[in-house]
Amino acid sequence: MTLTKKPVKPIVLTSHPSSQETKAPKVDWGAKDPLVRGPIIGTLTDSAYRNCIGTHSGAYSVYRALAVASGALDPLHVPDLTNTSPTSSIGPFDSWYDPQRIVSMDPWGAEVGTIFAEYIKKGINIQPTVAITQAHISMPEVVDSIRAGHIAVDGEIVGPGGDCLVTKAAIEPVWFLPAVARRFGVSESDLRRGLFENTGGMFPELVTRSDLHVLLPPIGGQTVYFFGDVKTIPDLSKELTIRIHDECNGSDVFGSDICTCRPYLVHGIEECIKTAQKGGCGVIVYNRKEGRALGEVTKFLVYNARKRQEGGDRADQYFQRTECIAGVQDMRFQELMPDVLHWMGVKRIDRLVSMSDMKYNAITRSGIEVVERVSIPDDRIPPDAHVEMDAKKAAGYFSGSGAPSADELAKKKGRGLEE
């Protein structure tokens, strides 16, 4: 294949365009009418229409740059969104109109081809940040559960070969900076300065364009897998099971035997299937936050440090070895995580398949009730993963023993109650 390099329009760097150059619609975050809220426009083809910082598909923008530079991609290409509309409809819900409830994604992101069709007809490059489709998934552990009689084949949720029919959504992050800052208890200016400095000045608009309040961050998004009818999610008469799972490539994909991530993911999927087969809905939210959002290189360095320390790998040193290398034990910061649940219209989770108090507390603080928390069964824990599990339990992770969460303990202590 021979690539012909196409001419690229020169980019002019300015700290702030004049008002005459700006044609971008304003963003009224949380407005009930999406046309009043306005589209999120990260176009690179006409900077006058840009109303956000960053660009669409932010985590993949460098690959786009390579494609353009090599001549494989026309830099003026505008996506043809014909027949790309969602296969299932989600929302809108009241939470979509609360500017504090959803701050890290665009709730209208799946419908931009329809809602903002008039903008698109004018040649303005507006791209969806959410896509919803139908699919089948197959996991050998689920097939094993069918053979063992733990999962039933019903021909609707689970096929005879063990494959599962799901609805799935891909979501790219869209941050409304004033509300993100408020969620973390900092000023917007401090947040913008921190983002600017700690990305090596990647986005100058963070400090030069105070009129732009939306950021398309260059980070991984999330994928949501729905088992059963998505329309039952806000129906409190129907059961809802959810697992919030943070990426672990080594275990989820390659089956590492020193952590519980894939076994817990599989357990969550099985619980979701059972709930769907009872007429409810099961949801897996898969967040790309590899290695507690520290990255895979850091994670592997921690593996080496744990195994080589005097006395070998020990639960009492588990988190300390991470902190020595990364400076912090965990950078997942679950404050933004509940947004996707509010996008789905979740009001109550009947079964939360998670041992993490960070996740549980973030969900309940956001106003969502959790009825039951489900731990990973002991027989699902690989032999070499007990160090990790023992460390988490020692750190206060929920273990199914009825122990209160960190929030519950704090509340009780605040009332002068002793355990």
Side-chain angles (χ1 to χ4, degrees), residues 375-409:
S375 302
I376 184 172
D378 288 339
D379 61 3
R380 296 293 186 95
I381 301 174
D384 288 343
H386 281 284
V387 169
E388 175 195 71
M389 188 54 62
D390 290 345
K392 289 181 176 181
K393 289 179 180 179
Y397 275 54
F398 176 79
S399 61
S401 63
S405 70
D407 259 10
E408 292 165 340
L409 281 172

Short mmCIF file of all heavy atoms in Angstrom, two decimals, residues 375-409:
data_model
loop_
_atom_site.label_atom_id
_atom_site.label_comp_id
_atom_site.label_asym_id
_atom_site.label_seq_id
_atom_site.Cartn_x
_atom_site.Cartn_y
_atom_site.Cartn_z
N SER A 375 -19.16 -10.10 48.26
CA SER A 375 -17.72 -10.36 48.23
C SER A 375 -17.41 -11.48 47.24
O SER A 375 -18.28 -12.25 46.85
CB SER A 375 -17.22 -10.77 49.61
OG SER A 375 -17.49 -9.78 50.57
N ILE A 376 -16.15 -11.58 46.87
CA ILE A 376 -15.73 -12.69 46.03
C ILE A 376 -15.69 -13.95 46.89
O ILE A 376 -15.17 -13.94 48.01
CB ILE A 376 -14.35 -12.42 45.39
CG1 ILE A 376 -13.96 -13.55 44.44
CG2 ILE A 376 -13.27 -12.20 46.45
CD1 ILE A 376 -12.71 -13.28 43.63
N PRO A 377 -16.26 -15.06 46.43
CA PRO A 377 -16.21 -16.30 47.21
C PRO A 377 -14.77 -16.77 47.41
O PRO A 377 -13.92 -16.60 46.53
CB PRO A 377 -17.00 -17.29 46.34
CG PRO A 377 -17.86 -16.44 45.45
CD PRO A 377 -17.06 -15.20 45.20
N ASP A 378 -14.49 -17.35 48.54
CA ASP A 378 -13.13 -17.80 48.85
C ASP A 378 -12.60 -18.79 47.82
O ASP A 378 -11.39 -18.78 47.50
CB ASP A 378 -13.09 -18.45 50.24
CG ASP A 378 -13.23 -17.42 51.36
OD1 ASP A 378 -12.96 -16.23 51.10
OD2 ASP A 378 -13.60 -17.80 52.49
N ASP A 379 -13.49 -19.63 47.27
CA ASP A 379 -13.01 -20.63 46.32
C ASP A 379 -12.66 -20.04 44.96
O ASP A 379 -12.17 -20.75 44.08
CB ASP A 379 -14.02 -21.77 46.17
CG ASP A 379 -15.37 -21.30 45.64
OD1 ASP A 379 -15.52 -20.09 45.32
OD2 ASP A 379 -16.30 -22.13 45.54
N ARG A 380 -12.92 -18.73 44.77
CA ARG A 380 -12.56 -18.07 43.52
C ARG A 380 -11.18 -17.39 43.61
O ARG A 380 -10.68 -16.87 42.62
CB ARG A 380 -13.60 -17.02 43.15
CG ARG A 380 -14.99 -17.55 42.87
CD ARG A 380 -15.01 -18.39 41.60
NE ARG A 380 -16.34 -18.80 41.24
CZ ARG A 380 -17.12 -18.16 40.37
NH1 ARG A 380 -16.68 -17.08 39.77
NH2 ARG A 380 -18.33 -18.62 40.11
N ILE A 381 -10.60 -17.36 44.80
CA ILE A 381 -9.33 -16.66 44.99
C ILE A 381 -8.18 -17.59 44.63
O ILE A 381 -8.00 -18.64 45.26
CB ILE A 381 -9.18 -16.18 46.45
CG1 ILE A 381 -10.34 -15.25 46.83
CG2 ILE A 381 -7.85 -15.45 46.63
CD1 ILE A 381 -10.35 -14.86 48.29
N PRO A 382 -7.36 -17.24 43.63
CA PRO A 382 -6.20 -18.09 43.28
C PRO A 382 -5.25 -18.20 44.47
O PRO A 382 -5.12 -17.26 45.27
CB PRO A 382 -5.54 -17.32 42.12
CG PRO A 382 -6.62 -16.46 41.56
CD PRO A 382 -7.48 -16.09 42.73
N PRO A 383 -4.57 -19.33 44.61
CA PRO A 383 -3.68 -19.54 45.77
C PRO A 383 -2.67 -18.42 45.97
O PRO A 383 -2.43 -17.98 47.10
CB PRO A 383 -2.99 -20.87 45.43
CG PRO A 383 -3.98 -21.60 44.56
CD PRO A 383 -4.64 -20.54 43.75
N ASP A 384 -2.06 -17.93 44.87
CA ASP A 384 -1.03 -16.91 45.00
C ASP A 384 -1.60 -15.51 45.19
O ASP A 384 -0.84 -14.54 45.32
CB ASP A 384 -0.12 -16.92 43.77
CG ASP A 384 0.79 -18.15 43.74
OD1 ASP A 384 0.94 -18.78 44.80
OD2 ASP A 384 1.32 -18.47 42.66
N ALA A 385 -2.93 -15.39 45.19
CA ALA A 385 -3.56 -14.07 45.34
C ALA A 385 -3.99 -13.80 46.78
O ALA A 385 -4.55 -12.75 47.06
CB ALA A 385 -4.76 -13.95 44.41
N HIS A 386 -3.72 -14.72 47.68
CA HIS A 386 -4.16 -14.52 49.06
C HIS A 386 -3.42 -13.37 49.75
O HIS A 386 -3.97 -12.74 50.65
CB HIS A 386 -4.01 -15.82 49.86
CG HIS A 386 -5.11 -16.81 49.60
ND1 HIS A 386 -6.37 -16.67 50.12
CD2 HIS A 386 -5.13 -17.93 48.84
CE1 HIS A 386 -7.14 -17.68 49.72
NE2 HIS A 386 -6.41 -18.45 48.94
N VAL A 387 -2.18 -13.10 49.34
CA VAL A 387 -1.46 -11.96 49.91
C VAL A 387 -2.22 -10.67 49.61
O VAL A 387 -2.44 -9.84 50.49
CB VAL A 387 -0.03 -11.88 49.35
CG1 VAL A 387 0.61 -10.54 49.73
CG2 VAL A 387 0.82 -13.02 49.90
N GLU A 388 -2.63 -10.52 48.35
CA GLU A 388 -3.40 -9.33 47.97
C GLU A 388 -4.70 -9.25 48.76
O GLU A 388 -5.05 -8.20 49.30
CB GLU A 388 -3.70 -9.37 46.48
CG GLU A 388 -4.60 -8.22 46.02
CD GLU A 388 -5.20 -8.45 44.64
OE1 GLU A 388 -6.09 -9.32 44.52
OE2 GLU A 388 -4.79 -7.77 43.71
N MET A 389 -5.43 -10.35 48.83
CA MET A 389 -6.73 -10.33 49.50
C MET A 389 -6.57 -10.08 50.99
O MET A 389 -7.35 -9.31 51.59
CB MET A 389 -7.45 -11.66 49.25
CG MET A 389 -8.90 -11.67 49.75
SD MET A 389 -9.90 -10.29 49.12
CE MET A 389 -9.83 -10.63 47.36
N ASP A 390 -5.57 -10.68 51.62
CA ASP A 390 -5.34 -10.46 53.05
C ASP A 390 -4.99 -8.99 53.31
O ASP A 390 -5.42 -8.40 54.31
CB ASP A 390 -4.22 -11.36 53.56
CG ASP A 390 -4.62 -12.82 53.61
OD1 ASP A 390 -5.83 -13.10 53.53
OD2 ASP A 390 -3.72 -13.68 53.70
N ALA A 391 -4.20 -8.41 52.40
CA ALA A 391 -3.82 -7.00 52.56
C ALA A 391 -5.04 -6.10 52.44
O ALA A 391 -5.20 -5.13 53.20
CB ALA A 391 -2.79 -6.62 51.50
N LYS A 392 -5.93 -6.40 51.50
CA LYS A 392 -7.13 -5.58 51.33
C LYS A 392 -8.06 -5.69 52.54
O LYS A 392 -8.61 -4.69 52.99
CB LYS A 392 -7.85 -6.00 50.05
CG LYS A 392 -7.11 -5.59 48.77
CD LYS A 392 -7.88 -6.00 47.53
CE LYS A 392 -7.18 -5.51 46.28
NZ LYS A 392 -7.91 -5.88 45.04
N LYS A 393 -8.21 -6.89 53.04
CA LYS A 393 -9.06 -7.07 54.22
C LYS A 393 -8.48 -6.34 55.42
O LYS A 393 -9.20 -5.72 56.20
CB LYS A 393 -9.24 -8.56 54.52
CG LYS A 393 -10.11 -9.29 53.51
CD LYS A 393 -10.23 -10.77 53.86
CE LYS A 393 -11.10 -11.50 52.85
NZ LYS A 393 -11.22 -12.95 53.16
N ALA A 394 -7.15 -6.42 55.58
CA ALA A 394 -6.50 -5.72 56.69
C ALA A 394 -6.64 -4.22 56.56
O ALA A 394 -6.67 -3.49 57.56
CB ALA A 394 -5.02 -6.11 56.75
N ALA A 395 -6.72 -3.74 55.32
CA ALA A 395 -6.87 -2.30 55.08
C ALA A 395 -8.30 -1.82 55.24
O ALA A 395 -8.57 -0.63 55.13
CB ALA A 395 -6.37 -1.96 53.68
N GLY A 396 -9.22 -2.76 55.51
CA GLY A 396 -10.59 -2.36 55.76
C GLY A 396 -11.56 -2.64 54.65
O GLY A 396 -12.72 -2.22 54.70
N TYR A 397 -11.14 -3.39 53.62
CA TYR A 397 -12.07 -3.75 52.56
C TYR A 397 -13.21 -4.59 53.14
O TYR A 397 -13.01 -5.40 54.04
CB TYR A 397 -11.37 -4.56 51.47
CG TYR A 397 -10.66 -3.73 50.42
CD1 TYR A 397 -9.73 -2.75 50.76
CD2 TYR A 397 -10.91 -3.93 49.06
CE1 TYR A 397 -9.07 -2.01 49.80
CE2 TYR A 397 -10.25 -3.19 48.09
CZ TYR A 397 -9.33 -2.22 48.47
OH TYR A 397 -8.69 -1.48 47.52
N PHE A 398 -14.39 -4.41 52.58
CA PHE A 398 -15.54 -5.20 52.98
C PHE A 398 -15.28 -6.67 52.68
O PHE A 398 -14.82 -7.01 51.59
CB PHE A 398 -16.77 -4.71 52.22
CG PHE A 398 -18.01 -5.52 52.48
CD1 PHE A 398 -18.76 -5.31 53.63
CD2 PHE A 398 -18.45 -6.48 51.57
CE1 PHE A 398 -19.91 -6.04 53.87
CE2 PHE A 398 -19.60 -7.22 51.81
CZ PHE A 398 -20.33 -6.99 52.96
N SER A 399 -15.58 -7.54 53.63
CA SER A 399 -15.28 -8.96 53.44
C SER A 399 -16.51 -9.85 53.58
O SER A 399 -16.39 -11.06 53.67
CB SER A 399 -14.22 -9.40 54.45
OG SER A 399 -14.70 -9.23 55.78
N GLY A 400 -17.68 -9.24 53.62
CA GLY A 400 -18.89 -10.03 53.73
C GLY A 400 -19.25 -10.41 55.15
O GLY A 400 -20.17 -11.18 55.39
N SER A 401 -18.49 -9.88 56.12
CA SER A 401 -18.72 -10.24 57.52
C SER A 401 -19.71 -9.31 58.20
O SER A 401 -19.98 -9.44 59.38
CB SER A 401 -17.38 -10.19 58.27
OG SER A 401 -16.87 -8.86 58.26
N GLY A 402 -20.23 -8.35 57.42
CA GLY A 402 -21.15 -7.39 58.01
C GLY A 402 -20.44 -6.20 58.60
O GLY A 402 -21.06 -5.37 59.25
N ALA A 403 -19.12 -6.11 58.41
CA ALA A 403 -18.37 -4.98 58.94
C ALA A 403 -18.83 -3.68 58.30
O ALA A 403 -19.09 -3.64 57.11
CB ALA A 403 -16.88 -5.20 58.69
N PRO A 404 -18.96 -2.62 59.07
CA PRO A 404 -19.41 -1.35 58.49
C PRO A 404 -18.34 -0.74 57.60
O PRO A 404 -17.16 -1.05 57.75
CB PRO A 404 -19.65 -0.47 59.72
CG PRO A 404 -18.74 -1.03 60.77
CD PRO A 404 -18.71 -2.52 60.50
N SER A 405 -18.78 0.09 56.68
CA SER A 405 -17.84 0.79 55.80
C SER A 405 -17.13 1.89 56.57
O SER A 405 -17.49 2.23 57.69
CB SER A 405 -18.60 1.40 54.62
OG SER A 405 -19.39 2.48 55.07
N ALA A 406 -16.13 2.48 55.92
CA ALA A 406 -15.39 3.58 56.54
C ALA A 406 -16.32 4.76 56.83
O ALA A 406 -16.21 5.42 57.87
CB ALA A 406 -14.25 4.01 55.61
N ASP A 407 -17.25 5.04 55.90
CA ASP A 407 -18.21 6.12 56.12
C ASP A 407 -19.09 5.84 57.32
O ASP A 407 -19.37 6.72 58.15
CB ASP A 407 -19.08 6.30 54.88
CG ASP A 407 -18.62 7.47 54.02
OD1 ASP A 407 -17.53 8.02 54.28
OD2 ASP A 407 -19.35 7.83 53.09
N GLU A 408 -19.56 4.59 57.41
CA GLU A 408 -20.43 4.22 58.52
C GLU A 408 -19.70 4.33 59.86
O GLU A 408 -20.27 4.80 60.86
CB GLU A 408 -20.96 2.80 58.31
CG GLU A 408 -21.93 2.71 57.13
CD GLU A 408 -22.17 1.28 56.69
OE1 GLU A 408 -21.36 0.40 57.01
OE2 GLU A 408 -23.18 1.05 56.01
N LEU A 409 -18.44 3.92 59.87
CA LEU A 409 -17.65 4.05 61.09
C LEU A 409 -17.49 5.51 61.49
O LEU A 409 -17.62 5.88 62.65
CB LEU A 409 -16.27 3.41 60.89
CG LEU A 409 -16.19 1.88 60.99
CD1 LEU A 409 -14.80 1.42 60.58
CD2 LEU A 409 -16.51 1.43 62.41
#
